[in-house]
Amino acid sequence: MTLPYPHPDWLRAPLGHGPRYRQILAYHHQGQLRSVCYDAACPNRGECWNSGTVTFMLLGDKCSRTCRFCNIGEGIPSAPDPTEPQRLAEAVAELELQHAVFTAVTRDDLPDGGAAQFVAVMQAVRQRSPACRIELLISDLQHNWRALAAIVAAAPDVLGHNIETVPRLYPKVRPQADYRKSLQLLEKIRQQAPELPIKSGLMLGLGERHQEILPVLKDLRAAGVTLLTLGQYLAPSKKHHPVQRYLPPQEFTELAQKAKELGFSGIESGPLVRSSYHAAEQYEEGSHA
């Protein structure tokens, strides 16, 4: 089932404008950086860029997986760019970011899933901008626990891995991922770094049943997740998995309350919420909970 357009009124985001937005957009046009904000067509780009929040994307623009919800290009990925860590460190410094978020395309072609590039970026950013907090959003690294240990040892300020949807929908929308293995990755982060804030999130409206959501939230808490994002799935094109339902804002509010009762310390829940939405504020909320 494909739902009719246009989107409901509550899914309309403000357009980008202002000097900060134009500065970040220029970085993209000049080829100096890539961001999931730009490549994944995030609806919050205007708000986030105006406030100086960017989610940088590492390791190219081609993903080795074929998730049916994602707007990132598929194909044969290029070799990791050895200049990328320094380029990103320069961008973080020039933008004077206090909280930088880094994610990457999934790189199943690399033995470590791209872990070494994450570590190199963290080192370069800390050298140039030691006061900047670093948040990572990583793939499942093909369950390479040694690669995960290397990332944890580099001590990001927040480490995230998205569960994305309920187990029943994995074969349809995440055919190359494994729900239980993703939970295991989150558990291993907690075992290796008990005080490290761990983050995960779900997209809703993919076809999950309401009664399937709470068990996933319980699984995430049991795995050690403290920071949670819940947002509305929006199909990037007609070729992607179709939206099955638009959840009203009140439903997101109710889910946030249930998540709070389960013990999540930092929660962003709303139709336009994405993995890094209000990332700095969510970190602060979680730290003072």
Side-chain angles (χ1 to χ4, degrees), residues 4-286:
Y5 287 82
H7 296 155
D9 289 343
W10 61 77
L11 286 172
R12 295 177 182 173
L15 297 174
H17 60 84
R20 204 84 183 268
Y21 179 90
R22 290 192 293 271
Q23 181 187 20
I24 294 171
L25 186 62
Y27 273 105
H28 289 77
H29 289 169
Q30 295 162 11
Q32 292 176 270
L33 61 82
R34 307 196 69 88
S35 73
V36 72
C37 325
Y38 190 83
D39 285 18
C42 178
N44 300 312
R45 193 168 73 190
E47 177 186 352
C48 292
W49 287 7
N50 284 334
S51 66
T53 300
V54 187
T55 302
F56 300 97
M57 189 165 69
L58 316 182
L59 295 166
D61 61 351
K62 295 292 187 296
C63 186
S64 59
R65 296 192 184 178
T66 55
C67 298
R68 292 200 58 219
F69 56 80
C70 184
N71 198 45
I72 304 299
E74 302 165 5
I76 300 174
S78 57
D81 181 357
T83 71
E84 184 172 61
Q86 288 301 325
R87 285 191 292 105
L88 290 177
E90 289 171 9
V92 168
E94 289 177 16
L95 291 169
E96 299 180 337
L97 300 184
Q98 300 301 307
H99 188 112
V101 185
F102 299 94
T103 189
V105 292
T106 301
R107 295 295 302 263
D108 292 336
D109 58 306
L110 300 176
D112 70 348
Q117 194 79 339
F118 275 109
V119 172
V121 167
M122 280 192 280
Q123 292 171 342
V125 170
R126 287 207 169 109
Q127 186 173 13
R128 287 290 305 272
S129 305
C132 181
R133 285 194 302 259
I134 296 177
E135 178 173 328
L136 303 185
L137 177 62
I138 63 174
S139 74
D140 59 26
L141 304 174
Q142 299 183 85
H143 323 130
N144 182 333
W145 306 137
R146 180 176 296 182
L148 176 63
I151 289 175
V152 173
D157 296 286
V158 180
L159 185 51
H161 171 69
N162 282 339
I163 205 75
E164 303 292 14
T165 189
V166 302
R168 180 177 57 83
L169 294 180
Y170 264 58
K172 282 186 177 181
V173 299
R174 299 193 76 197
Q176 294 139 307
D178 183 290
Y179 179 81
R180 291 295 163 190
K181 287 291 186 180
S182 282
L183 285 177
Q184 188 178 2
L185 178 141
L186 295 166
E187 290 168 354
K188 286 193 174 290
I189 297 171
R190 171 60 66 232
Q191 292 165 6
Q192 294 172 18
E195 301 304 318
L196 174 63
I198 304 174
K199 188 172 181 176
S200 192
L202 289 92
M203 299 174 293
L204 302 176
L206 282 160
E208 72 287 338
R209 303 181 185 107
H210 184 77
Q211 63 267 30
E212 292 178 298
I213 300 173
L214 191 58
V216 174
L217 300 187
K218 291 179 178 178
D219 283 345
L220 292 175
R221 279 298 296 130
V225 174
T226 56
L227 305 180
L228 176 71
T229 60
L230 300 171
Q232 171 70 53
Y233 168 65
L234 298 175
S237 77
K238 292 182 179 180
K239 296 179 181 179
H240 290 79
H241 184 81
V243 176
Q244 301 298 303
R245 186 166 76 99
Y246 292 121
L247 283 70
Q250 179 59 31
E251 194 164 341
F252 281 101
T253 301
E254 292 168 358
L255 287 169
Q257 180 58 39
K258 290 180 180 178
K260 184 177 181 180
E261 292 169 1
L262 288 173
F264 290 96
S265 59
I267 304 159
E268 287 290 337
S269 180
L272 290 174
V273 167
R274 296 296 180 265
S275 299
S276 304
Y277 187 62
H278 291 171
E281 295 88 341
Q282 188 178 25
Y283 173 87
E284 295 289 349
E285 178 188 0

